[in-house]
């Protein structure tokens, strides 16, 4: 009997020899095994990485505490609020330590002196911002001790601009010339708590400096009043340690439920160069802030600034996790199938080792050494596949806009867990095979039959489940792809023009809209042009800001209408017909036209024509207008959420930048043609896309993850089908003697194939019942996560797989009949019977 030490001699050489032998015996199967398993674990690593980044989001350098986020919940989603609201929240819930962050995209800061470099993008934060988050400084301090303005730069800016020299006391200069001293450097890797990562955080800056350029020309007091109500603040809080976080959160949410946002507009005196018009005071200017009476405070757990996107990410990640579960189980089955097949091909060699005293643990150690190289190769394939899959997923919605990038901790978690699962699959399967081959031949046959039957049933279950997923997602994708914008001219271009030498060029066309449109339509090749506040398929949050209500209709109190100011040529440019009545006059603010759906909601097309309509907006009072016409539908917002009820009024001024909707002949260089006009000479032209392009972007954003899911489910389906084929082939090969007797008795290959197929069909029925039951349970308990799952696809999936199994068995029977003579099959059967009797 060989000793343990003697038995282990030469294991590395034997391992290499085993792999070379496997490559010679079945190169295609080995390549398929390595690639399929590697890709499976790569996909698993990518999805685990996304799950970790989505569910365990904590910015680098931030202390792990009980955080809450307060946002403004509106009809268009979650928005930021104002400084005034922040102060009221602090007063209403003093038990929570509150702080805020505010992006100021219109402001830049530049280093003074010899370190002058690219402008830095700042964020304004409250004085306690860094202290509440527990962020530590890399240099200096993170808050001025005397309450004066101070700046904290990122570690990346410190390294890039200052070469990690002492920067405390260095000055940064704002756009208007205000100097702010640098007081410190944030911890390496810290990028704030908002999605946009700034270069510098500024605290204690005078409030009026946070205003965008629209408030230029006003006195400091007026700017401060407007800035206090400007909705740009995201509010966060920390529940102090030692308190019951759940109870404090519930209490805070209850108190904040009573908060009401101030929807009144701020009206200030302003000098104006515009000529006076009847009914309009040109020396007064009103500022609205997009608040509505229906807006409420939404308090959520954690540092979560996009709860709507987070919900979408979690839904899609759970879908991906379901497919990953199938791939994981497929991986275990594939490992076991491959190792059992290898044992059969090396049965004599293993029997010799057992005869000379090898124990199951000895066989396991040798098998582990022999397969380490295969595992390493699969690990490399999985690493590359994970990088590719993760790159694809991070470029599609909802992950692209929510995650942006993945922190190293998530990458380590994803690849680490996938590697652990791969190692676990090998170890568990090698242990089972080593234990099995050391048992008696009779016991081995029984366990082998049980394992093969169980494996085939599992593979059929994966086939049915993945096929249903593929058909459901493909059917939904193709169904939505057939949706149409309903516009005769979906390829009209939305063009923006900017004067690079001016910031207030909006004055140039404030009263010259008609003349500008005439000049654009006079360009050869331009069929029509128009201006509008909302272009077709505009983002749905814009609809919220233009939401209006109709007075005098109690049944429509909670029904929002949307007001869009357009030039009369807007509908002609899009190819939308006037259904009834006439178009409004160019400068008559009292006349409006309605969309057909809005007219139907108000009683019908014939009823609304000529009737007064009392329209009011939150914070802007009520204004009576007359309905003079009804037009066809134009899609806005999300293509899949129905058509909003629209009110169209005349647009007589164009803000800066100038935005036009132009229907032009294909091939016309619009940028060159527009800049040839005298009023746009030297201006910059930017194309914002066409309605058709925006529609495609929305469609792909909604369906991109489902496409990835369908590909992953398709991959699982292919793996399962190949396993089912192998299982059927092995079953026929093992029973070829009995099949030979039936051949000799006159059975045809078709009849034998039908008999063999009956077993697979019975197993398919069981698999379909399990999938159907699980699908029904998921529909009941988690409808949001199974929205795309269509269980009626179960029947065609079952029928297709049953037909495929029958055809495969028929093919294998034909192959058996062609390769072996019936007498040889019968002789084999007799020999088997004699051996059994002995």
């Amino acid at each position: 009997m060989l000793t343990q030490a003697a038995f282990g001699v030469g294991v590395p050489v034997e391992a290499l020899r085993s792999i070379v032998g496997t490559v010679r015996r079945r190169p295609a199967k080995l390549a398929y095994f390595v690639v399929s398993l590697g890709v499976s674990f790569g996909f698993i690593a990518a999805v685990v990485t996304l799950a970790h980044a989505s569910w365990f989001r904590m910015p680098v350098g931030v202390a792990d505490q009980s955080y809450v986020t307060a946002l403004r919940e509106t009809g268009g989603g979650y928005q930021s609020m104002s400084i005034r609201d922040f102060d009221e929240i602090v007063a209403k819930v003093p038990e929570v330590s509150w702080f805020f962050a505010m992006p100021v995209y219109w402001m830049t800061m530049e280093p003074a002196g010899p370190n002058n470099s690219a402008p830095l993008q700042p964020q304004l934060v409250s004085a306690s911002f860094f202290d509440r988050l527990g962020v530590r400084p890399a240099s200096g301090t993170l808050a001025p001790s005397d309450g004066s303005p101070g700046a904290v730069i990122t570690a990346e800016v410190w390294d890039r601009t200052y070469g990690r020299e002492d920067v405390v006391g260095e000055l940064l200069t704002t756009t208007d010339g205000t100097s702010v001293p640098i007081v410190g450097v944030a911890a390496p890797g810290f990028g704030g708590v908002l999605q946009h990562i700034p270069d510098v955080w500024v605290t204690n800056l005078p409030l009026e400096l946070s205003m965008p350029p629209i408030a230029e020309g006003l006195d400091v007091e007026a700017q401060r009043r407007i800035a206090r109500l400007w909705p740009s603040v995201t509010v966060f809080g920390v529940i102090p340690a030692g308190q019951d976080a759940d109870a404090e959160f519930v209490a805070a949410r209850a108190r904040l439920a009573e908060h009401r946002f101030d929807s009144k507009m701020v009206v200030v005196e302003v000098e104006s160069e515009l000529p006076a018009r009847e009914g309009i005071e040109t020396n007064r200017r009103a500022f609205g802030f997009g608040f509505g009476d229906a807006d409420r405070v939404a308090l959520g757990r954690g540092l979560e600034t996009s709860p709507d996107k987070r919900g979408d990410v979690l839904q899609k990640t759970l879908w991906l996790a379901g497919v990953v579960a199938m791939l994981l189980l497929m991986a275990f089955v594939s490992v076991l199938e491959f190792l059992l097949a290898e044992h059969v091909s090396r049965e004599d060699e293993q029997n010799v080792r057992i005869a000379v005293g090898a124990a199951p643990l000895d066989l396991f150690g040798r098998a582990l050494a022999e397969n380490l190289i295969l595992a390493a190769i699969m690990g490399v394939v999985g690493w590359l596949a994970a990088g590719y899959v993760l790159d694809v997923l991070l470029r599609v919605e909802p992950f692209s806009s929510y995650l942006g990038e993945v922190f190293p901790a998530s990458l380590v978690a994803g690849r680490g867990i996938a590697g652990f699962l791969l190692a676990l699959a090998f170890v568990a399967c090698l242990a089972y095979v080593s234990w099995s081959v050391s048992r008696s031949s009779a016991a081995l046959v029984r366990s082998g039959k049980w394992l093969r039957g169980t494996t085939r049933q599992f593979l059929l279950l994966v086939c049915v489940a993945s096929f249903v997923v593929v058909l459901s997602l493909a059917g939904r994708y193709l169904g939505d792809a057939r949706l149409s914008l309903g516009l005769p001219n979906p390829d009209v271009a939305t063009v923006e023009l900017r004067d690079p030498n001016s910031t207030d060029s909006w004055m140039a066309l404030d009263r010259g809209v008609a003349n500008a449109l005439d000049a654009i339509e006079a360009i050869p090749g331009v069929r029509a042009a128009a201006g509008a506040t909302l272009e077709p398929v505009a983002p749905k949050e814009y609809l919220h800001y233009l939401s209006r209500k109709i007075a005098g209709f109690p049944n429509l109190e909670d029904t929002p209408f949307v007001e869009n100011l357009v030039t009369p040529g807007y509908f002609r440019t899009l190819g939308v017909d006037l259904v009834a009545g006439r178009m409004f006059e160019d400068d008559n603010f009292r006349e409006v036209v309605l969309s057909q759906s809005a007219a139907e909601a108000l009683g019908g097309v014939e009823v609304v024509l000529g009737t007064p309509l009392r329209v009011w907006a939150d914070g802007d009072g009520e204004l009576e207008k007359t309905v003079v016409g009804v037009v066809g539908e134009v899609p806005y917002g999300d293509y899949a959420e129905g058509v909003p009820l629209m009110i169209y009024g005349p647009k007589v001024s164009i803000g800066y930048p100038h935005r036009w909707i132009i229907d032009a002949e294909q091939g016309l260089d619009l940028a060159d043609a527009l800049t040839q006009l005298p009023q746009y000479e030297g201006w910059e032209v930017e194309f914002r896309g066409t309605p058709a392009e925006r529609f495609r972007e929305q469609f792909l954003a909604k369906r991109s993850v489902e496409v990835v899911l369908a590909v992953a489910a398709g991959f699982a389906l292919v793996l399962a089908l190949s396993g089912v084929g192998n299982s059927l082939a092995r079953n026929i090969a093992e029973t070829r003697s009995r099949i030979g007797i039936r051949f000799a008795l006159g059975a045809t290959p078709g009849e034998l194939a039908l008999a063999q197929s009956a077993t697979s069909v019975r197993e398919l029925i069981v698999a379909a019942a399990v999938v159907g039951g699980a699908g029904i349970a998921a529909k009941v308990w988690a409808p949001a996560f199974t929205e795309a799952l269509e269980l009626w696809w179960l029947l065609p999936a079952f029928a297709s797989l049953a037909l495929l199994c029958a055809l495969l068995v028929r093919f294998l029977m034909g192959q058996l009949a062609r390769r072996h003579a019936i007498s040889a099959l019968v002789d084999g059967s007799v020999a088997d019977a004699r051996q059994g009797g002995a």
Side-chain angles (χ1 to χ4, degrees):
M1 182 179 293
L2 295 179
T3 64
Q4 176 75 19
F7 185 75
V9 173
V11 167
V13 176
E14 288 293 329
L16 290 175
R17 186 179 300 166
S18 172
I19 293 176
V20 172
T22 303
V23 172
R24 289 176 178 174
R25 286 193 304 272
R26 45 175 71 86
K29 189 169 184 178
L30 179 63
Y32 168 78
F33 171 70
V34 171
V35 172
S36 63
L37 266 293
V39 172
S40 295
F41 280 100
F43 196 93
I44 291 169
V47 173
V48 172
T49 299
L50 283 180
H52 185 277
S54 304
W55 295 353
F56 304 98
R57 285 171 61 87
M58 186 64 71
V60 176
V62 172
D64 188 6
Q65 306 176 90
S66 297
Y67 294 104
V68 294
T69 303
L71 295 168
R72 179 168 56 92
E73 187 174 9
T74 74
Y78 295 92
Q79 309 289 338
S80 52
M81 55 185 73
S82 68
I83 293 289
R84 166 193 171 273
D85 297 301
F86 171 76
D87 292 339
E88 289 199 10
I89 287 174
V90 172
K92 288 182 177 179
V93 191
E95 296 83 2
V96 176
S97 301
W98 299 98
F99 58 99
F100 69 77
M102 174 174 31
V104 280
Y105 302 114
W106 48 85
M107 179 190 294
T108 57
M109 305 185 78
E110 295 187 358
N115 289 317
N116 189 27
S117 64
L120 304 180
Q121 181 65 55
Q123 272 182 12
L124 306 186
V125 296
S126 55
S128 59
F129 178 79
F130 294 100
D131 181 59
R132 297 283 191 265
L133 291 171
V135 178
R136 302 301 179 190
S139 177
T141 183
L142 300 182
S145 58
D146 57 358
S148 60
V152 175
I153 61 174
T154 64
E156 194 273 335
V157 170
W158 185 35
D159 182 65
R160 182 187 70 223
T161 304
Y162 296 96
R164 302 182 66 83
E165 297 179 354
D166 184 17
V167 293
V168 176
E170 295 285 340
L171 296 179
L172 298 178
T173 306
T174 64
T175 308
D176 70 340
T178 302
S179 294
V180 180
I182 297 176
V183 297
V185 180
F190 178 72
V193 291
L194 303 181
Q195 285 191 322
H196 172 71
I197 299 177
D199 300 308
V200 57
W201 295 271
V202 183
T203 185
N204 299 324
L205 195 70
L207 195 57
E208 60 271 12
L209 296 182
S210 69
M211 280 304 300
I214 64 167
E216 289 180 351
L218 303 179
D219 59 60
V220 172
E221 181 58 33
Q223 291 187 10
R224 191 176 295 118
R225 286 172 55 203
I226 296 168
R228 185 167 169 76
L229 289 176
W230 191 260
S232 57
V233 176
T234 303
V235 178
F236 305 95
V238 180
I239 300 175
Q243 298 187 14
D244 188 335
D246 293 333
E248 292 294 338
F249 177 79
V250 171
R253 187 164 57 181
R255 270 181 274 177
L256 292 179
E258 302 301 320
H259 180 79
R260 296 295 178 267
F261 292 93
D262 189 350
S263 61
K264 296 189 297 293
M265 302 183 76
V266 175
V267 181
V268 297
E269 300 290 334
V270 59
E271 295 183 3
S272 175
E273 300 177 359
L274 297 178
R277 287 188 290 162
E278 182 180 355
I280 298 179
E281 297 182 76
T282 56
N283 65 331
R284 294 173 67 80
R285 190 170 175 191
F287 290 85
F289 306 102
F291 293 144
D293 291 342
D295 294 354
R296 295 291 182 269
V297 175
L299 191 66
R301 302 301 295 263
L303 297 170
E304 186 52 69
T305 58
S306 302
D308 47 354
K309 289 184 179 179
R310 177 177 173 81
D312 196 15
V313 165
L314 294 182
Q315 176 180 341
K316 299 299 172 53
T317 306
L318 284 173
W319 267 107
L320 287 169
V323 175
V324 162
M326 286 196 298
L327 290 176
L328 179 60
L329 292 173
M330 282 296 306
F332 274 87
V333 170
S334 298
V335 170
L336 196 56
E337 284 271 319
F338 181 81
L339 294 176
L340 283 173
E342 277 297 288
H343 164 68
V344 171
S345 64
R346 300 171 59 191
E347 187 173 4
D348 293 339
E349 177 188 340
Q350 299 283 40
N351 288 337
V352 170
R353 289 197 175 98
I354 294 172
V356 297
L361 189 60
D362 300 324
L363 298 176
F364 171 74
R366 178 175 290 276
L368 189 62
E370 291 175 350
N371 287 279
L372 278 178
I373 297 178
L374 283 181
I377 295 173
M378 271 188 272
V380 173
V381 174
W383 183 280
L384 298 175
Y388 176 76
V389 174
L390 189 61
D391 180 64
V392 170
L393 289 173
L394 285 176
R395 285 188 282 111
V396 303
E397 291 293 345
F399 303 110
S400 60
S401 61
Y402 181 72
L403 295 175
E405 60 180 350
V406 172
F407 290 117
S410 297
L411 291 171
V412 171
R415 288 172 175 159
I417 291 176
F420 170 76
L421 292 174
L422 176 61
L424 180 63
F426 264 102
V427 170
C429 295
L430 286 171
Y432 176 82
V433 172
S434 301
W435 170 75
S436 297
V437 299
S438 63
R439 303 173 68 194
S440 65
S441 58
L444 183 60
V445 169
R446 288 196 299 270
S447 63
K449 287 182 178 179
W450 173 86
L451 181 63
R452 284 192 291 272
T454 304
T455 301
R456 185 169 60 251
Q457 291 168 6
F458 167 75
L459 291 172
L460 289 172
L461 178 65
V462 172
C463 279
V464 175
S466 56
F467 206 0
V468 170
V469 171
V470 170
L471 292 175
S472 296
L473 297 180
R476 187 176 186 185
Y477 181 93
L478 295 175
D480 282 0
R482 289 193 295 268
L483 291 178
S484 170
L485 280 176
L487 291 176
N489 298 335
D491 294 314
V492 294
T494 302
V495 183
E496 281 193 354
L497 297 105
R498 294 182 175 87
D499 184 353
N501 302 314
S502 177
T503 59
D504 59 356
S505 302
W506 66 275
M507 298 291 292
L509 284 182
D510 195 70
R511 293 289 292 162
V513 177
N515 293 334
L517 286 175
D518 290 341
I520 294 174
E521 289 185 334
I523 297 174
V526 173
R527 290 186 285 260
T533 304
L534 284 177
E535 68 267 25
V537 205
K540 66 178 183 180
E541 53 265 27
Y542 292 174
L543 305 184
H544 168 71
Y545 293 129
L546 298 172
S547 178
R548 304 291 184 261
K549 294 183 180 179
I550 306 299
F553 289 83
N555 60 318
L556 297 177
E557 287 181 354
D558 297 326
T559 302
F561 288 67
V562 179
E563 185 175 40
N564 189 11
L565 301 182
V566 301
T567 59
Y570 177 74
F571 305 102
R572 173 168 50 88
T573 304
L574 297 175
V576 176
D577 295 330
L578 182 67
V579 177
R582 61 175 176 83
M583 189 55 60
F584 48 70
E585 295 181 3
D586 289 358
D587 57 355
N588 190 341
F589 289 96
R590 304 292 182 177
E591 292 186 347
V592 295
V593 298
L594 304 178
S595 66
Q596 193 165 356
S597 58
E600 295 294 342
L602 293 170
V605 173
E606 300 300 330
V607 174
V608 298
L609 284 179
T611 61
L613 200 65
R614 289 183 292 154
V615 181
W616 63 281
D618 290 329
D620 197 20
E622 182 180 300
L623 186 63
E624 185 173 290
K625 303 183 180 184
T626 302
V627 179
V628 297
V630 177
V631 294
E633 303 294 349
V634 177
Y636 299 95
D638 195 320
Y639 75 94
E641 294 184 359
V643 180
L645 309 178
M646 301 299 300
I647 303 172
Y648 296 101
K651 185 177 185 66
V652 297
S653 63
I654 295 293
Y656 182 75
H658 298 182
R659 184 183 300 177
W660 304 110
I661 300 171
I662 302 174
D663 180 23
E665 294 178 358
Q666 189 174 6
L668 175 65
D669 188 345
L670 266 179
D672 180 68
L674 289 170
T675 52
Q676 296 300 317
L677 298 176
Q679 61 266 50
Y680 289 135
E681 185 177 356
W683 283 40
E684 296 175 350
V685 180
E686 178 185 352
F687 289 91
R688 293 174 53 87
T690 68
E693 290 170 345
R694 284 192 292 273
F695 173 83
R696 284 193 292 271
E697 290 172 1
Q698 283 190 8
F699 174 77
L700 291 176
K702 277 194 169 291
R703 299 292 172 251
S704 54
V705 172
E706 293 181 3
V707 172
V708 176
L709 279 168
V711 172
F715 181 58
L717 176 62
V718 171
L719 290 178
L721 284 174
S722 65
V724 169
N726 290 335
S727 179
L728 292 174
R730 185 168 56 248
N731 184 59
I732 291 175
E734 291 172 349
T735 58
R736 62 183 181 273
S737 299
R738 291 191 294 274
I739 292 173
I741 293 176
R742 299 190 64 182
F743 271 137
L745 295 175
T748 64
E751 292 172 343
L752 294 175
L754 187 60
Q756 289 282 337
S757 301
T759 302
S760 298
V761 171
R762 286 195 299 271
E763 293 171 342
L764 261 174
I765 292 174
V766 174
V770 172
V771 171
I776 293 172
K779 286 285 190 181
V780 173
W781 294 104
F785 300 136
T786 54
E787 178 187 2
L789 186 63
E790 299 290 345
L791 290 179
W792 67 271
W793 282 112
L794 189 61
L795 290 177
F798 171 81
S800 300
L801 291 174
L803 178 61
L804 184 61
C805 287
L807 293 175
L808 186 57
V809 171
R810 178 66 181 85
F811 170 77
L812 293 172
M813 284 294 182
Q815 290 287 95
L816 183 66
R818 284 192 297 270
R819 289 182 179 180
H820 300 279
I822 292 177
S823 59
L825 294 174
V826 174
D827 290 343
S829 177
V830 173
D832 289 343
R834 288 174 177 172
Q835 290 176 2

